[in-house]
Amino acid sequence: MQKYFLALALATLSVLASTLMISACDDDDNSASDPISTDSTDVIIPVVVDSILSIPEAVDLGLPSGLLWASFNLGTTAPEDYGDHYAWGETETKETYDWSTYKWCEGNYDKLTKYVSQSQSSLLGNEGFYDDKITLDPADDVAHVLLGGPWRMPTIKEFEELYRNCTWTWTTQKHVNGYLVQSKTNSNSVFLSAGGTSSGYNIGSYGYYWSSSLFATFANSAHGITFHSSHVNTSYYRSREAGFFVRPVCVPQD
């Protein structure tokens, strides 16, 4: 009987939390919490964790675009945790990240079945395929698929905006190396962990994050960022089958 009343109480609290939550990235069907801030004018709402996924806080870094950045990586619940690896354009994790398992090709880098320009169709498209897509469709954007609503992966231009308008400081947070990325216009920040790659390389010394932007010069690659203790590279690109981390973003909803 006590277990019954405990379960009922928890269910009631869950419903109340869902009903009362207001988010900077809210829409009709999805909600996420406002950014954490030391500014007393900001509304702070805690993360709601369910049995499937934790919705990150949407952190306002005072960027010119107004874009909000998630407080942690996809597939985790804390900034210091690495999260899950994803190949570019895929929405599920897997054990092996190579061309033989990549969703958008027929077994090899020169047999692509999606995200190929016409100019490269004869070289990289499967049987001459092209679609001229240069940004991930929502259905192939893992942040949007898993978090819903306005959440998505950042474009490479949005990573560049983050780099230009924030101070990047290499640090160790709860025994995890990475960059504290702090706004130049307010006191808010996010932490990007240096979790290496899905193959286990450079854990603790390098960070690798996908953008949603195709590398136009070679359609078998996509843009992302990489960093280590003395350098941040926002001009980075890598072949699409690699497993990297994803830091979601969202646009405030009116």
Side-chain angles (χ1 to χ4, degrees):
M1 182 64 72
Q2 289 179 336
K3 291 182 179 179
Y4 169 79
F5 283 114
L6 177 59
L8 181 61
L10 289 174
T12 302
L13 286 174
S14 177
V15 171
L16 287 173
S18 299
T19 302
L20 294 175
M21 177 164 288
I22 301 172
S23 169
C25 287
D26 192 23
D27 67 1
D28 291 337
D29 300 313
N30 298 276
S31 62
S33 42
D34 285 339
I36 289 180
S37 171
T38 55
D39 187 341
S40 61
T41 62
D42 286 3
V43 177
I44 303 174
I45 300 176
V47 174
V48 173
V49 181
D50 61 26
S51 60
I52 301 175
L53 191 68
S54 180
I55 304 297
E57 294 166 357
V59 181
D60 181 3
L61 296 167
L63 301 175
S65 67
L67 193 71
L68 307 179
W69 284 76
S71 55
F72 48 75
N73 290 345
L74 207 58
T76 186
T77 60
E80 302 82 18
D81 292 340
Y82 295 145
D84 291 331
H85 293 98
Y86 297 93
W88 191 82
E90 294 188 352
T91 59
E92 297 180 353
T93 59
K94 54 189 180 182
E95 292 185 3
T96 303
Y97 291 81
D98 59 26
W99 288 113
S100 70
T101 65
Y102 184 60
K103 180 178 182 179
W104 301 116
C105 76
E106 291 294 334
N108 205 9
Y109 74 93
D110 58 354
K111 297 183 181 298
L112 300 175
T113 58
K114 195 171 185 179
Y115 303 105
V116 185
S117 66
Q118 183 175 6
S119 62
Q120 298 177 55
S121 60
S122 61
L123 180 65
L124 298 175
N126 185 48
E127 298 181 352
F129 170 84
Y130 69 91
D131 55 12
D132 283 328
K133 293 177 181 286
I134 59 173
T135 304
L136 286 174
D137 289 337
D140 303 325
D141 183 321
V142 63
H144 180 71
V145 169
L146 296 185
L147 299 178
W151 290 99
R152 58 174 174 79
M153 293 169 62
T155 66
I156 192 59
K157 294 296 184 183
E158 289 165 343
F159 264 122
E160 293 169 356
E161 179 189 52
L162 183 71
Y163 182 70
R164 289 193 308 269
N165 292 278
C166 292
T167 301
W168 291 58
T169 305
W170 182 261
T171 187
T172 301
Q173 190 165 301
K174 294 186 178 180
H175 308 291
V176 174
N177 292 335
Y179 271 98
L180 182 67
V181 181
Q182 187 163 23
S183 170
K184 293 180 179 179
T185 60
N186 62 39
S187 59
N188 296 336
S189 64
V190 295
F191 180 74
L192 297 178
S193 57
T197 68
S198 59
S199 55
Y201 290 119
N202 298 324
I203 295 176
S205 57
Y206 278 76
Y208 301 90
Y209 288 78
W210 280 129
S211 79
S212 61
S213 304
L214 186 71
F215 182 56
T217 305
F218 297 105
N220 57 3
S221 298
H223 284 288
I225 69 161
T226 185
F227 54 73
H228 55 81
S229 60
S230 60
H231 182 64
V232 177
N233 183 0
T234 60
S235 300
Y236 183 71
Y237 61 91
R238 178 68 161 80
S239 54
R240 289 155 48 173
E241 92 288 358
F244 287 174
F245 297 113
V246 171
R247 179 59 64 95
V249 296
C250 68
V251 176
Q253 302 297 291
D254 294 332

